[in-house]
Amino acid sequence: MDVYLDGRRLTVGRPTLAGALAAGREAAASAGRVVVEATLGGEPIPDGMLDDPPDRDAGPVEVRFVSADPAQLVLGTLTDVAQTLGDVMDEQGAAADLIRLGKVDQAFEHIASSLRTWDGVRQVVVHGATLLGIPLETTTVWIAGQGVPITDCVESLAVQLREIKRSIEAQDWSALADVLDHDMKMQADRWQDLLRGLADQIRTRRPSPSARA
C-alpha cells in the first residue's frame, strides 16, 4: 500500500485503509492542517468508509490525501454560505407571495428549499467553530455596532423556525406569510452579519493548540 499526503509519501504502520487514514490524519494534524479529500485507487473514498474504515489488508493500492489549512477552509465555507442567504431571502419572499395568492402548495417548495439552506448555515457555524476550537457558548460577534453572543443568534433563529412549524400545523397562512416575509428576512440579514463577524474573528485570531490537535 502506498499512502500520500499532499504528494508526500507516508509511512503506514498497518497496510489497511484504517491504518492509512490514521497516518494521513496524524500527519495533517502535526502540520496544523486537516484532511479534506481522500482517494483510493484514484476514486473518492465514500463517507461511510471514512467513518468506519476496514482494518484488513488492502493489498497493493494507492491512497492519497489532500489537506487544507482549517482556518482557510472555514473562511471559504463561511463566505460561500453568507452568499446563499441572499437566495434564501428570495425563496422566502416568493413563498410569502404565493401564500397570499392562495397558492400554498407551490409555496411549500420554496419553504422546503429555504429550510434546507438554513440547516446548512447552522451546521457550518457549529462545525466550523468546533474545527477551530472556538467556544460558541462564550463567543460574540459585532452586529450593528454591538457585541452579540452567537448563541443568541442561534436561539433567535430557532424561535422563528418554530413559528414557521406552528403556522403550518395550524394552517395559519397569514402568520406564515408574515414570518417568511418579515421575521425570516431579518434573520437572513442578521446571519449575514454574524457570518462576516465570525470570519473577521477567524482572520485575526491566532491558531489555538486545540485547532491543531
Side-chain angles (χ1 to χ4, degrees):
M1 170 182 278
D2 296 322
V3 181
Y4 299 87
L5 173 68
D6 299 328
R8 177 170 62 90
R9 187 165 185 170
L10 303 179
T11 299
V12 180
R14 305 186 313 279
T16 68
L17 183 56
L21 281 168
R25 287 166 176 164
E26 182 180 349
S30 68
R33 298 170 70 83
V34 292
V35 172
V36 295
E37 183 181 318
T39 59
L40 174 65
E43 296 295 327
I45 300 176
D47 290 341
M49 192 176 290
L50 290 173
D51 294 335
D52 186 21
D55 200 16
R56 59 179 180 273
D57 194 320
V61 295
E62 182 178 272
V63 181
R64 288 187 176 271
F65 300 110
V66 176
S67 71
D69 175 81
Q72 292 301 318
L73 176 65
V74 174
L75 280 172
T77 306
L78 290 176
T79 299
D80 292 343
V81 168
Q83 293 175 347
T84 68
L85 288 177
D87 296 331
V88 164
M89 284 190 274
D90 292 339
E91 292 269 16
Q92 293 168 170
D97 290 341
L98 287 167
I99 290 169
R100 292 178 178 127
L101 291 172
K103 301 178 181 180
V104 176
D105 289 343
Q106 294 180 37
F108 280 147
E109 296 178 14
H110 295 284
I111 294 172
S113 176
S114 66
L115 292 179
R116 285 193 297 270
T117 300
W118 276 115
D119 184 59
V121 170
R122 183 188 62 79
Q123 290 190 40
V124 162
V125 171
V126 172
H127 294 166
T130 299
L131 179 62
L132 299 181
I134 299 173
L136 289 182
E137 298 79 6
T138 58
T139 300
T140 61
V141 293
W142 287 96
I143 297 178
Q146 63 179 348
V148 178
I150 290 179
T151 51
D152 284 5
C153 297
V154 173
E155 178 56 28
S156 177
L157 174 61
V159 168
Q160 298 306 325
L161 293 176
R162 287 195 293 269
E163 174 59 16
I164 290 175
K165 181 180 178 181
R166 185 208 66 80
S167 300
I168 292 173
E169 291 176 345
Q171 297 187 12
D172 187 347
W173 307 131
S174 176
L176 180 59
D178 287 344
V179 71
L180 289 170
D181 207 19
H182 181 262
D183 300 288
M184 290 301 289
K185 180 182 184 302
M186 292 177 62
Q187 288 294 326
D189 288 335
R190 193 181 199 198
W191 275 73
Q192 282 184 323
D193 290 338
L194 182 155
L195 293 168
R196 295 188 187 105
L198 185 57
D200 288 341
Q201 287 194 28
I202 293 170
R203 291 188 186 97
T204 58
R205 74 192 290 268
R206 298 176 65 86
S208 65
S210 59
R212 293 180 176 272

